[in-house]
Amino acid sequence: MDSLIAASARALAAGDALNALKRISLRDDPPALALRGIAMAQLGELPRSRELLRRAARAFGRHEELSRARCVVAEAEVALAMRDLGGAPRTLSAAVASLEAHADHANALHAHLVGARRHLLLGQLDKAADALQALDGRALPHPLRAIAELVSAELALRSLHTADARAALARAQAAAERAGVPALVAEIAEARGSLDRPAARRVDSTGETPLRLDEVEALFDAGTLVLDACRHGLRAGTRWVPLARRPILFSLARALADAWPGDVPRDALIEHAFRTRRPDETHRARLRVEIGRLRKLVAPMARIDATSRGFALTPLSGRPLAVLVPPIDGEQASLQALLADGAAWSTSALALALDTSQRTVQRALAELEAAGRVRAIGRARAQRWLAPPLAGFTTILLLPSSLPLA
């Protein structure tokens, strides 16, 4: 490593990107390109950073596998910050293997976290958990520990384990304060604050009650039969019957739950589910078929009995019944509630779940995306929609100081 590269690397490690650039701004050799890419990333010029890192990776020779692997990890992190998730995961995995083979454990750990965050953004929660589990028991620098705990908190929240999420966020905050990264501390504080905001409303005969996430979790744990209009399904304890992709069955279940403990007339169910006020025998026959399907699905947790004028829903074992709806009314609230399951949804699936047109869903998604409340991955028919992560990923952590290349 020559003196200018060494001095530039030291400046970057200290967070002085401008001083680092002054020393190498006119050089195009691979180590200088890599350091310029790192500096541009720290300055927030992500597209330029990515270009420089790609040039550096291509310019390193075959005997410089370690340097090339570091560039690949750096580019992956920049792509993550740009929310460009189209890169091949195999490339990152190969870079991790190279880093570990050359005993560059710090960058290997960093690459594992980049992979976990990428899976999280893609809604691949199982893969994110596996990537995070690979870091268990390993000593992480404070900034990486904070990010790992943030990922862990979001995974816990996706599973509605709020106590685990709070504990992970507390650990994240402690690590971020030790690291001395203000942006990261602020993000964690915002994430902790979100736990105290209403996440849903419980609707019953007494009215509406706003619930925080931990109160929703307590409602589920209490064994109550819950008609969940946020995620469109029925829940009783750990048993979950998803109806998001079966809107007619969900519509019938919602009508029956709203009327509990009473029944719902057949014509009212037909109007509610099939949107017609002039039912005929065809509609009545179809209602019997759909009720039969719903009865079969909910049999482990409730009965659907025929009455003299319609049908009634009765929870098994004397359970109470509650209806859970999004914290605010409207199409956008329903969309966000569906996306909160962490999965990647297509526009057509969202339209199906909400029983509305794709055009209506597209308009609502466009408004939510402009407000930063949803995000899209893929293009055209492969496009999928996801909820934003619990916390953003601060660019101040881009490219650890161990990256500067010899």
Side-chain angles (χ1 to χ4, degrees):
M1 182 184 296
D2 62 46
S3 59
L4 284 177
I5 291 290
S8 179
R10 284 195 297 271
L12 279 176
D16 190 353
L18 290 177
N19 194 28
L21 274 178
K22 286 179 184 176
R23 299 172 187 276
I24 54 171
S25 59
L26 299 179
R27 291 178 52 169
D28 283 334
D29 53 291
L33 287 173
L35 290 176
R36 286 169 57 192
I38 294 170
M40 296 306 286
Q42 291 188 357
L43 293 173
E45 298 292 336
L46 300 182
R48 179 60 174 158
S49 166
R50 193 176 190 182
E51 177 192 340
L52 290 168
L53 288 167
R54 282 180 175 173
R55 286 176 58 192
R58 287 196 298 267
F60 280 118
R62 291 185 177 180
H63 62 288
E64 296 170 303
E65 181 184 359
L66 178 58
S67 296
R68 192 164 53 248
R70 288 168 171 168
C71 286
V72 169
V73 174
E75 185 190 336
E77 190 176 13
V78 171
L80 198 68
M82 296 171 66
R83 300 298 187 263
D84 181 355
L85 306 176
R90 289 181 183 176
T91 305
L92 184 59
S93 299
V96 172
S98 295
L99 293 168
E100 290 181 340
H102 289 84
D104 185 355
H105 301 301
N107 278 317
L109 291 171
H110 188 73
H112 275 298
L113 268 180
V114 170
R117 291 155 63 191
R118 183 178 184 278
H119 289 311
L120 201 58
L121 283 171
L122 288 170
Q124 299 167 343
L125 304 187
D126 291 343
K127 291 182 179 178
D130 291 343
L132 202 59
Q133 194 170 19
L135 301 179
D136 280 353
R138 303 178 70 168
L140 294 175
H142 294 312
L144 297 188
R145 171 57 61 193
I147 291 295
E149 295 295 354
L150 267 177
V151 175
S152 178
E154 177 146 5
L155 286 171
L157 281 179
R158 298 289 191 192
S159 305
L160 208 57
H161 295 149
T162 52
D164 293 342
R166 287 186 187 278
L169 287 173
R171 294 192 296 271
Q173 183 166 358
E177 288 172 352
R178 291 192 191 101
V181 183
L184 189 55
V185 173
E187 287 181 6
I188 293 168
E190 169 62 21
R192 297 184 77 174
S194 69
L195 294 176
D196 297 323
R197 291 194 282 269
R201 290 173 293 159
R202 177 177 179 168
V203 181
D204 54 29
S205 58
T206 63
E208 296 182 359
T209 307
L211 300 179
R212 300 189 308 271
L213 273 177
D214 53 349
E215 293 171 326
V216 173
E217 183 183 2
L219 178 66
F220 290 156
D221 291 344
T224 303
L225 176 62
V226 179
L227 186 289
D228 188 346
C230 297
R231 300 189 180 188
H232 287 215
L234 277 161
R235 184 185 298 274
T238 58
R239 192 180 294 277
W240 168 246
V241 177
L243 298 174
R245 287 170 170 78
R246 307 187 75 170
I248 290 179
L249 296 190
F250 176 76
S251 179
L252 291 172
R254 174 69 188 272
L256 293 170
D258 284 340
W260 181 80
D263 61 354
V264 185
R266 289 176 176 78
D267 286 354
L269 286 172
I270 290 171
E271 180 181 349
H272 192 76
F274 308 142
R275 296 184 177 178
T276 178
R277 295 183 179 180
R278 297 180 179 178
D280 56 22
E281 285 306 314
T282 303
H283 293 113
R284 294 188 180 92
R286 188 181 174 193
L287 176 64
R288 288 194 293 272
V289 171
E290 299 294 354
I291 286 288
R293 290 171 177 163
L294 182 61
R295 181 183 284 135
K296 185 176 180 181
L297 284 174
V298 306
M301 57 180 71
R303 296 194 324 267
I304 298 179
D305 301 315
T307 66
S308 58
R309 62 173 195 156
F311 295 93
L313 179 69
T314 306
L316 297 182
S317 307
R319 296 172 186 266
L321 189 148
V323 176
L324 203 64
V325 300
I328 56 174
D329 290 322
E331 200 77 34
Q332 293 186 350
S334 299
L335 279 172
Q336 286 190 287
L338 285 173
L339 294 172
D341 66 357
W345 287 71
S346 66
T347 304
S348 58
L350 288 168
L352 179 66
L354 296 175
D355 195 19
T356 188
S357 69
Q358 289 195 40
R359 183 62 191 144
T360 300
V361 171
Q362 286 168 349
R363 280 197 298 268
L365 287 170
E367 293 173 5
L368 288 171
E369 186 179 28
R373 293 158 67 186
V374 301
R375 54 199 166 87
I377 55 174
R379 301 289 181 188
R381 291 187 177 182
Q383 189 175 53
R384 296 293 182 270
W385 295 91
L386 291 153
L390 171 70
F393 298 128
T394 176
T395 54
I396 203 167
L397 289 178
L398 279 171
L399 315 176
S401 57
S402 52
L403 186 66
L405 311 169

